[in-house]
């Protein structure tokens, strides 16, 4: 009987670790929209040193949400959207990032960059893992593209972080 409970528990874990691509995209849209709102709200609060970057990130996150939304509305991939995939280990961090951190009315550049780095890293890990999980086609292409973009964002943020925090400014 104990093994039945273990099997049942394991079965529930497996079910919770799978979602349809539609559900994954819905979470991704929320993530990207939250990222856009976060960066857009920061624009008037950040120093001129990093304002250009925050503006760029806001626009790119808005574009990512648009890409996901268009894909979800594309009738050509309706069947693929119902496919179940195993959620990657990064899913928890990604889902948690849907809730933006309040950095206050006048956050310093270091705090902004640290938080932005954590968001970009979560997105990079998630999209990389999802690209490995889905079958070839438009979904895989999009996840690969976004993984590369998030990697570029992360690298740019790391460079700027080093310049501002470790080298005394840009």
């Amino acid at each position: 009987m104990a093994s039945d409970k273990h099997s049942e528990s394991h079965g529930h874990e497996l079910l919770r670790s799978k979602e349809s691509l539609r559900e994954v995209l819905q979470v991704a849209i929320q993530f990207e929209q939250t990222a856009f709102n976060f960066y857009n709200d920061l624009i008037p609060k950040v120093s001129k040193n990093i304002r250009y970057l925050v503006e760029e990130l806001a626009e790119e996150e808005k574009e990512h949400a648009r890409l996901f939304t268009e894909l979800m509305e594309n009738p050509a991939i309706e069947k693929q959207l119902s496919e179940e995939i195993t959620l990657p280990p990064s899913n928890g961090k990604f889902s948690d990032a849907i809730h933006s951190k309040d950095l206050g009315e006048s956050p310093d550049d270091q705090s902004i960059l640290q938080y932005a780095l954590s968001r970009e890293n979560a997105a990079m890990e998630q999209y990389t893992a999802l690209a490995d999980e889905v079958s070839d086609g438009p979904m895989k292409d999009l996840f690969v593209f976004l993984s590369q973009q998030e990697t570029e964002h992360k690298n740019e943020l790391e460079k700027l972080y080093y310049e501002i925090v470790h080298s005394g400014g840009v």
Side-chain angles (χ1 to χ4, degrees):
M1 184 159 270
S3 66
D4 286 345
K5 285 200 182 257
H6 177 72
S7 295
E8 187 176 310
S9 162
H10 182 70
H12 288 300
E13 285 175 33
L14 277 175
L15 284 175
R16 281 197 312 268
S17 70
K18 288 190 174 274
E19 283 188 1
S20 71
L21 273 174
R22 180 180 309 285
E23 292 168 311
V24 168
L25 283 182
Q26 288 168 338
V27 171
I29 290 168
Q30 286 180 313
F31 175 87
E32 297 295 345
Q33 188 60 49
T34 301
F36 165 74
N37 292 340
F38 169 74
Y39 291 127
N40 200 47
D41 290 348
L42 271 181
I43 292 170
K45 299 177 186 178
V46 299
S47 73
K48 290 180 181 172
N49 290 340
I50 65 170
R51 186 165 297 146
Y52 75 94
L53 179 62
V54 174
E55 290 170 348
E56 284 176 20
L57 289 169
E59 283 307 307
E60 288 184 12
E61 305 305 358
K62 183 178 177 180
E63 177 64 12
H64 295 172
R66 187 191 66 73
L67 287 170
F68 281 133
T69 302
E70 278 184 10
L71 205 52
M72 277 189 62
E73 295 169 354
N74 184 343
I77 65 159
E78 184 66 32
K79 184 177 178 187
Q80 190 176 9
L81 289 175
S82 61
E83 285 179 23
E84 295 263 316
I85 62 167
T86 301
L87 296 174
S90 57
N91 196 61
K93 282 195 299 187
F94 186 76
S95 296
D96 288 347
I98 287 175
H99 307 287
S100 289
K101 180 177 178 181
D102 182 7
L103 296 176
E105 281 307 307
S106 45
D108 62 47
D109 291 351
Q110 183 175 353
S111 298
I112 292 165
L113 291 171
Q114 286 173 333
Y115 184 66
L117 271 165
S118 71
R119 289 188 65 84
E120 299 303 321
N121 192 60
M124 178 195 70
E125 288 177 359
Q126 183 76 349
Y127 296 145
T128 300
L130 287 169
D132 291 341
E133 188 63 35
V134 300
S135 53
D136 289 344
M139 294 297 301
K140 184 177 200 81
D141 295 344
L142 180 60
F143 287 136
V144 167
F145 170 75
L146 290 173
S147 171
Q148 292 167 345
Q149 279 215 317
E150 301 297 359
T151 300
E152 288 172 19
H153 295 170
K154 182 178 167 271
N155 292 341
E156 192 172 344
L157 285 165
E158 285 173 342
K159 181 180 173 216
L160 191 58
Y161 183 85
Y162 182 80
E163 288 172 2
I164 289 175
V165 176
H166 296 293
S167 300
V170 283

